[in-house]
C-alpha cells in the first residue's frame, strides 16, 4: 500500500519571496525559472503537492522535486537545474590551446594558398597535424567542434576587421584643432541666425581630392523604352576606358555649397586652381578656412608662393592628423557619390 506523502515545511525569507514574485511575473526570464518560482509561491500558500500540481497543470512529483530542492539548496537556487556530471571531454585542454593558437596564425603561414583560415580547413589541418603535435584527441575533429571551440574563445579567424594605425605623434593635438574648427562652424551658424551679423565674415570649407575616378564611354547608343517590349532604357554592358580623373572638391560647412573641379591630376597647380576658384567665390574681406589633409600639394613651395600673393588672413589651413583623414567631413560627401565614375555617351 502506498504511503501518504507528508507536506514538507518550506521556509523563505521576505527577500526570497519578493524575488520569486518578480520572477513569476517576468516575461524575459526562461520559462523553467518562471514556472518553478510560481510553484514555490503556490506551495507557500497551500503546502500540498497534489493541490499545487492540479492548480498549475503539472505532475505532483514535479512540484515535490522543486520544493525539496528549495529546502536543500535555497529557494532561489532551486530555480536552476543542478549541474550534471556529463561525459568526460574528449578533447583535452592542451589540444584546445593548440587549436586556438593555430587559429591565431594565418593559413598561408602553414603552407596553404589561402590567406585566412576557414573552419573546414582548420579542422582538416588539425586532424592531419594534431596527433603528430602530441594531441591525439584531435584525430577525429570535425568542423562543428572547431566552430564551438573558437566561439568559446570569441575568435573568428575567417573574418577581417579593419583598424586605423596611429602614425602621428601629435594626433590628439591636431584632432583637437580640427574639432575646434567644427565648433566654430556651430557658433557661426548660431550667430548668423541673429539679427546682428558678425563683424568678421568667415567661411569654412572642408576640402579633399578623390583621384582615380574612371572616365568611361559607352560603345553603343542607348535604346529607348518600347511599350509592351521593355520598360526601361537599355544600355550595352561594354564600355570604353578614357583613363582616370581626379575630383577636387570642397564643401562650405556654413551653407552646404560644394565647390568642385575635375582635372586629369591633382598636383600643386590643380590645387592652386581650386584655391583661385574659392578666392573668386567669396568677397575679398572674407576669411577662408580650409580643413584638409597632408598631401604634398597642400604645402608645396608653389602653393606657398601663391598664398603669399593673397592678403594676410585670406586663407587659413587646418590639417588633419596623418592617417586621420576620416576627421574631414568631405569624406562623407565622397562616400555618397555612387560609383565615382564619369560616363559619357558614345
Amino acid at each position: 500500500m502506498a504511503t501518504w506523502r507528508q507536506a514538507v515545511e518550506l521556509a523563505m525569507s521576505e527577500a526570497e519571496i519578493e524575488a520569486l514574485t518578480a520572477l513569476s511575473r517576468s516575461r524575459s526570464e526562461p520559462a523553467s525559472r518562471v514556472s518553478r518560482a510560481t510553484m514555490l509561491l503556490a506551495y507557500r500558500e497551500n503546502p500540498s503537492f497534489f493541490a499545487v500540481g492540479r492548480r498549475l497543470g503539472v505532475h505532483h512529483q514535479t512540484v515535490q522535486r522543486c520544493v525539496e530542492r528549495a529546502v536543500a539548496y535555497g529557494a532561489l537556487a532551486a530555480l536552476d537545474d543542478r549541474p550534471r556530471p556529463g561525459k568526460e571531454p574528449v578533447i583535452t585542454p592542451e589540444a584546445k590551446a593548440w587549436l586556438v593558437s593555430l587559429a591565431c596564425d594565418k593559413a598561408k603561414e602553414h603552407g596553404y594558398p589561402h590567406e585566412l583560415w576557414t573552419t573546414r580547413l582548420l579542422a582538416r589541418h588539425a586532424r592531419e597535424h594534431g596527433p603528430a603535435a602530441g594531441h591525439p584527441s584531435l584525430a577525429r575533429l570535425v568542423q562543428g567542434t572547431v566552430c564551438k571551440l573558437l566561439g568559446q574563445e570569441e575568435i573568428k579567424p575567417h573574418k577581417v576587421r579593419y583598424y586605423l594605425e596611429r602614425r602621428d605623434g601629435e594626433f590628439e593635438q591636431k584632432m583637437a584643432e580640427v574639432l575646434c574648427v567644427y565648433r566654430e562652424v556651430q557658433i557661426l551658424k548660431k550667430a548668423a541666425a541673429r539679427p546682428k551679423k558678425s563683424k568678421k565674415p568667415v567661411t569654412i570649407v572642408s576640402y579633399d581630392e578623390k583621384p582615380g575616378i574612371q572616365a568611361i564611354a559607352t560603345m553603343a547608343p542607348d535604346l529607348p523604352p518600347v511599350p509592351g517590349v521593355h520598360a526601361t532604357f537599355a544600355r550595352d554592358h561594354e564600355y570604353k576606358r578614357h583613363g582616370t580623373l581626379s575630383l577636387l572638391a570642397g564643401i562650405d560647412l556654413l551653407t552646404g555649397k560644394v565647390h568642385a573641379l575635375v582635372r586629369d591630376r591633382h598636383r600643386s597647380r590643380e590645387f592652386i586652381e581650386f584655391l583661385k576658384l574659392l578666392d573668386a567665390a567669396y568677397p575679398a574681406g572674407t576669411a577662408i578656412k580650409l580643413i584638409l589633409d597632408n598631401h604634398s600639394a597642400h604645402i608645396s613651395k608653389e602653393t606657398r608662393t601663391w598664398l603669399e600673393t593673397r592678403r594676410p588672413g585670406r586663407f587659413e589651413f587646418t590639417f588633419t592628423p596623418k592617417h586621420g583623414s576620416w576627421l574631414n567631413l568631405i569624406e562623407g560627401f565622397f562616400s555618397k557619390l555612387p560609383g565615382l565614375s564619369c560616363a559619357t555617351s558614345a
Side-chain angles (χ1 to χ4, degrees):
M1 182 177 179
T3 59
W4 184 261
R5 289 181 174 83
Q6 297 181 352
V8 177
E9 183 179 355
L10 177 61
M12 293 187 292
S13 64
E14 293 295 331
E16 289 177 329
I17 295 174
E18 292 180 4
L20 291 175
T21 302
L23 285 171
S24 67
R25 300 170 180 172
S26 175
R27 295 186 178 182
S28 59
E29 288 286 335
S32 60
R33 288 173 58 85
V34 174
S35 176
R36 290 167 184 172
T38 306
M39 288 181 198
L40 295 178
L41 292 173
Y43 186 83
R44 177 176 173 273
E45 296 177 0
N46 184 8
S48 169
F49 302 139
F50 287 95
V52 173
R54 189 180 303 110
R55 174 183 169 183
L56 301 179
V58 297
H59 199 277
H60 64 86
Q61 291 182 351
T62 302
V63 180
Q64 183 177 353
R65 286 194 298 268
C66 181
V67 173
E68 289 175 350
R69 282 202 304 268
V71 172
Y73 305 105
L76 298 180
L79 303 179
D80 300 311
D81 293 328
R82 287 181 294 175
R84 298 178 175 87
K87 183 181 178 182
E88 288 293 331
V90 176
I91 300 177
T92 63
E94 293 77 13
K96 292 180 182 178
W98 181 84
L99 180 66
V100 171
S101 176
L102 180 67
C104 293
D105 296 335
K106 287 189 173 182
K108 66 179 183 180
E109 297 175 3
H110 295 269
Y112 293 98
H114 315 72
E115 181 183 10
L116 303 177
W117 292 109
T118 63
T119 52
R120 188 184 301 275
L121 178 62
L122 189 59
R124 190 184 76 188
H125 183 88
R127 287 195 303 268
E128 296 175 354
H129 299 86
H135 308 292
S137 59
L138 298 178
R140 301 180 64 182
L141 184 68
V142 296
Q143 181 184 6
T145 305
V146 171
C147 296
K148 180 180 178 181
L149 296 177
L150 296 183
Q152 293 173 354
E153 302 297 332
E154 298 183 356
I155 294 178
K156 300 177 181 179
H158 58 289
K159 292 187 176 182
V160 175
R161 186 179 67 178
Y162 290 90
Y163 75 100
L164 286 175
E165 182 183 8
R166 181 169 297 186
R167 300 179 182 176
D168 196 327
E170 301 177 351
F171 186 91
E172 287 82 2
Q173 177 183 347
K174 294 180 180 179
M175 179 179 66
E177 293 174 358
V178 175
L179 296 179
C180 285
V181 177
Y182 291 148
R183 176 60 176 169
E184 185 179 356
V185 173
Q186 184 179 10
I187 295 174
L188 290 174
K189 284 187 175 182
K190 290 182 178 180
R194 299 171 185 170
K196 185 178 180 181
K197 295 184 179 181
S198 175
K199 296 181 180 179
K200 182 181 178 181
V202 177
T203 189
I204 299 175
V205 178
S206 175
Y207 167 82
D208 199 6
E209 301 98 351
K210 192 69 177 178
I213 303 174
Q214 291 192 72
I216 59 178
T218 56
M219 302 283 289
D222 291 347
L223 301 179
V226 177
V229 181
H230 51 85
T232 63
F233 277 93
R235 177 170 295 171
D236 189 76
H237 70 279
E238 292 188 0
Y239 57 88
K240 181 187 298 183
R241 296 179 184 270
H242 291 290
T244 59
L245 297 173
S246 294
L247 172 63
L248 292 75
I251 181 170
D252 189 323
L253 300 181
L254 296 175
T255 65
K257 178 178 174 57
V258 176
H259 305 276
L261 287 176
V262 177
R263 294 294 182 266
D264 293 333
R265 302 172 67 179
H266 57 287
R267 302 162 296 177
S268 296
R269 64 184 66 180
E270 286 80 18
F271 179 57
I272 293 174
E273 186 178 356
F274 182 84
L275 294 179
K276 291 180 180 179
L277 175 66
L278 293 181
D279 196 25
Y282 295 98
T286 302
I288 304 174
K289 296 186 177 182
L290 274 79
I291 301 173
L292 65 173
D293 60 20
N294 296 271
H295 192 275
S296 58
H298 305 161
I299 56 176
S300 67
K301 181 179 179 181
E302 187 176 354
T303 299
R304 293 197 305 268
T305 301
W306 183 86
L307 289 174
E308 290 175 356
T309 64
R310 305 294 92 190
R311 69 169 182 81
R314 175 61 167 172
F315 287 93
E316 180 181 336
F317 292 176
T318 300
F319 295 99
T320 59
K322 294 180 181 177
H323 210 54
S325 59
W326 51 272
L327 285 168
N328 202 340
L329 290 181
I330 191 66
E331 297 290 346
F333 171 77
F334 287 150
S335 68
K336 301 297 186 295
L337 299 179
L340 280 179
S341 60
C342 299
T344 59
S345 301

